[in-house]
Amino acid sequence: MNNRGNFGSRIGLVLATAGSAVGLGNIWRFPFTTGQNGGAAFIIIYIICILMLGLPGMISEFIIGRHAATNAVRAYGVISGKRVWRVVGVMGILCSTIILGFYSVVAGWCLQYLYASVAGQIKGDSSYVARYFTEFSSDIAMPVVWAMVFIIITHFVIVKGVRKGIEKASKLMMPTLFVLLLIIVAASCMLPNAISGIKFLFYPDFSKLSSNVMLEALGQAFFSLSLGTACLCTYSSYFSKRTNLVNAALQIALIDTLIAVLAGLMIFPAAFSVGVKPDAGPSLIFITLPNVFQQAFASMPLVGYVISILFYALLALAALTSTISMHEIGTAFFHEELKRPRRHAAWIVTITAIMIAIVSSLSCGAYPQLTVFGMSMMDFFDFLTANILLPAGALLTCIYVGWVVPRSTVMTEFTNRHTVCIRLFPAFLFMVRFVCPICITLVFLHQFGIV
Ligand code: TRP
């Protein structure tokens, strides 16, 4: 595997992996889950989850990926010599391709809204905006077309390879994303009464805490860090042997959390300034926000127009750096295992994802009868991945690194051959052996009402 791709620079590696982490999870899912779960109190629990479970999980995937320097399936088999563990890699590929499918539907909605913002179409009272969303998302053709456009764009970045595709795109898109975010945060925080939104975000009301909130926070933390689907394991297979894994994980988690909090600072002040409650759930950014932007900037329509365009461009960019990472997991696998050129391997993933996208999109409106266990296909895929496959993948990864992989291998990778972070190693081992598996299992069982 000498001629495998790799990241060309440390900054490229951090931006690419942070690009995977930063996505709709931060800018769409985080604000609406925070809105539904009481604001600051939720954020505190979320940060605890990131520190206690997210970081060790992330480092574990890094250890497996970098040590094996191969695709996810082979990596899980090779590092301990026990082939049954390859199943975790297979699960990861399955899970990330499913996520790629339905995630692209939402990303496609962002493209439509970007287009509609430029064309000035989303203007009118709140019932009009709500109708606009329902009519668009239940259309047969358009949402599917946008989702396909999104997957195809992802495809072409992936085909270019690790350095010229993934790394280059991330180096360009991540700083752009950050600047866009700062502009909108500034505009939002300057609105009258923005302060009540800022309070909601930073003053915790612990009476809102319940075990359900913890569950939400954990799920959100894993999803946001791209944990549990071998995504980080695949990216770290392109890391250099000199990369300090602990540092890299810390930086990526920090960027990811910072961007999520900034997304909150962008949405809540604007919403509170016009007296709108941010607890609408998934439709927050497609129904609530267009209204909020219109009302908040009613006296400066041009600012409102520009902000709306920048906002949906921001969402699309964030989504793209993430879909790239989901795509890469499967592509790397088919490329290396079927010994086909990268572009053939990429088509396998692209076509599968498009099929999943079509089913998900149609189940959202045009064919509501497309259901499994009483859920629409979209909700089912979301449930299957975020609530089952993702925690299961993270749990197995921790058990694997904690108990199955030889301790010396784990230590060598963690400390870069005994040169860095040596004193942190026992704490890390304790976390992945005991704390993470126990916490993840508890949360996992809790959602089925078992504990
Ligand atoms: N972390 C991304 C987000 O916050 C989503 C994502 C990218 C992801 N790759 C993943 C989620 C792999 C699970 C698994 O939007």
Side-chain angles (χ1 to χ4, degrees):
M1 295 281 157
N2 315 338
N3 56 358
R4 282 186 101 237
N6 55 18
F7 291 120
S9 63
R10 193 184 147 75
I11 177 92
L13 159 172
V14 170
L15 287 183
T17 318
S20 161
V22 173
L24 296 176
N26 304 57
I27 301 174
W28 168 62
R29 208 169 183 281
F30 179 82
F32 84 67
T33 351
T34 306
Q36 284 177 321
N37 291 297
F42 172 82
I43 299 184
I44 294 175
I45 303 291
Y46 174 78
I47 292 178
I48 295 177
C49 288
I50 295 265
L51 292 177
M52 276 187 39
L53 308 174
L55 273 178
M58 207 170 175
I59 298 172
S60 299
E61 279 201 35
F62 283 172
I63 288 176
I64 298 172
R66 188 181 58 182
H67 184 80
T70 178
N71 63 76
V73 174
R74 193 174 284 255
Y76 274 88
V78 103
I79 172 170
S80 68
K82 299 196 171 64
R83 290 170 62 95
V84 282
W85 283 91
R86 293 168 71 129
V87 94
V88 184
V90 174
M91 243 168 62
I93 293 177
L94 196 74
C95 183
S96 47
T97 311
I98 297 177
I99 298 182
L100 175 60
F102 73 77
Y103 194 93
S104 300
V105 174
V106 183
W109 295 349
C110 298
L111 289 183
Q112 162 74 25
Y113 270 65
L114 176 58
Y115 163 78
S117 302
V118 174
Q121 282 175 356
I122 330 178
K123 269 196 247 134
D125 58 11
S126 51
S127 70
Y128 169 79
V129 179
R131 221 175 339 117
Y132 183 90
F133 179 70
T134 324
E135 272 172 21
F136 162 69
S137 61
S138 52
D139 186 48
I140 296 192
M142 275 326 278
V144 173
V145 171
W146 283 120
M148 280 165 64
V149 167
F150 209 86
I151 297 175
I152 302 276
I153 298 176
T154 309
H155 175 94
F156 283 109
V157 177
I158 284 293
V159 167
K160 293 224 172 245
V162 176
R163 239 185 240 201
K164 290 206 186 114
I166 302 176
E167 183 172 352
K168 204 164 152 197
S170 309
K171 274 184 171 166
L172 202 74
M173 292 195 287
M174 290 302 285
T176 316
L177 181 155
F178 195 66
V179 173
L180 289 181
L181 189 58
L182 288 183
I183 296 175
I184 310 178
V185 168
S188 174
C189 288
M190 282 191 296
L191 290 168
N193 199 25
I195 190 75
S196 46
I198 300 176
K199 274 201 186 127
F200 177 73
L201 204 57
F202 293 117
Y203 284 97
D205 171 5
F206 287 105
S207 68
K208 296 264 172 47
L209 285 188
S210 66
S211 55
N212 234 4
V213 174
M214 316 239 175
L215 186 69
E216 285 287 340
L218 182 80
Q220 174 62 25
F222 281 4
F223 188 83
S224 191
L225 291 177
S226 313
L227 212 72
T229 70
C231 176
L232 299 171
C233 160
T234 304
Y235 267 29
S236 60
S237 72
Y238 307 126
F239 285 9
S240 119
K241 288 285 174 209
R242 275 169 312 184
T243 306
N244 181 333
L245 297 183
V246 179
N247 259 346
L250 270 173
Q251 282 169 358
I252 292 155
L254 192 72
I255 297 178
D256 189 58
T257 310
L258 178 71
I259 295 207
V261 172
L262 282 175
L265 265 183
M266 159 171 86
I267 290 172
F268 296 125
F272 277 81
S273 105
V274 291
V276 170
K277 277 226 157 84
D279 57 1
S283 65
L284 176 67
I285 64 169
F286 296 107
I287 298 180
T288 313
L289 270 195
N291 268 319
V292 166
F293 286 151
Q294 267 189 70
Q295 292 177 39
F297 299 103
S299 57
M300 308 170 272
L302 186 64
V303 179
Y305 175 79
V306 174
I307 291 286
S308 166
I309 295 176
L310 295 185
F311 177 72
Y312 292 105
L314 165 71
L315 277 168
L317 274 184
L320 185 57
T321 52
S322 294
T323 51
I324 290 173
S325 74
M326 299 167 198
H327 200 299
E328 176 62 20
I329 311 173
T331 302
F333 170 72
F334 292 118
H335 172 51
E336 290 174 0
E337 298 302 313
L338 303 180
K339 312 229 177 328
R340 309 289 297 174
R342 225 178 131 77
R343 83 197 129 80
H344 292 180
W347 275 118
I348 303 180
V349 179
T350 299
I351 290 168
T352 318
I354 287 181
M355 290 194 296
I356 293 169
I358 293 176
V359 178
S360 311
S361 178
L362 293 182
S363 78
C364 284
Y367 291 98
Q369 62 274 38
L370 280 173
T371 55
V372 199
F373 305 125
M375 290 179 260
S376 72
M377 286 308 283
M378 181 89 156
D379 291 340
F380 170 71
F381 285 141
D382 181 47
F383 175 79
L384 176 70
T385 52
N387 296 25
I388 300 190
L389 292 175
L390 230 105
L395 173 65
L396 290 172
T397 302
C398 289
I399 295 178
Y400 186 57
V401 168
W403 299 97
V404 182
V405 177
R407 192 191 141 109
S408 58
T409 312
V410 177
M411 176 142 185
T412 310
E413 285 301 327
F414 186 90
T415 60
N416 281 0
R417 302 188 174 277
H418 312 281
T419 53
V420 294
C421 303
I422 297 168
R423 273 196 278 161
L424 281 178
F425 184 68
F428 167 75
L429 207 58
F430 180 74
M431 296 304 277
V432 289
R433 282 194 163 170
F434 302 103
V435 180
C436 298
I438 292 173
C439 291
I440 301 172
T441 310
L442 284 181
V443 171
F444 191 64
L445 296 180
H446 180 80
Q447 69 177 328
F448 297 108
I450 300 175
V451 284

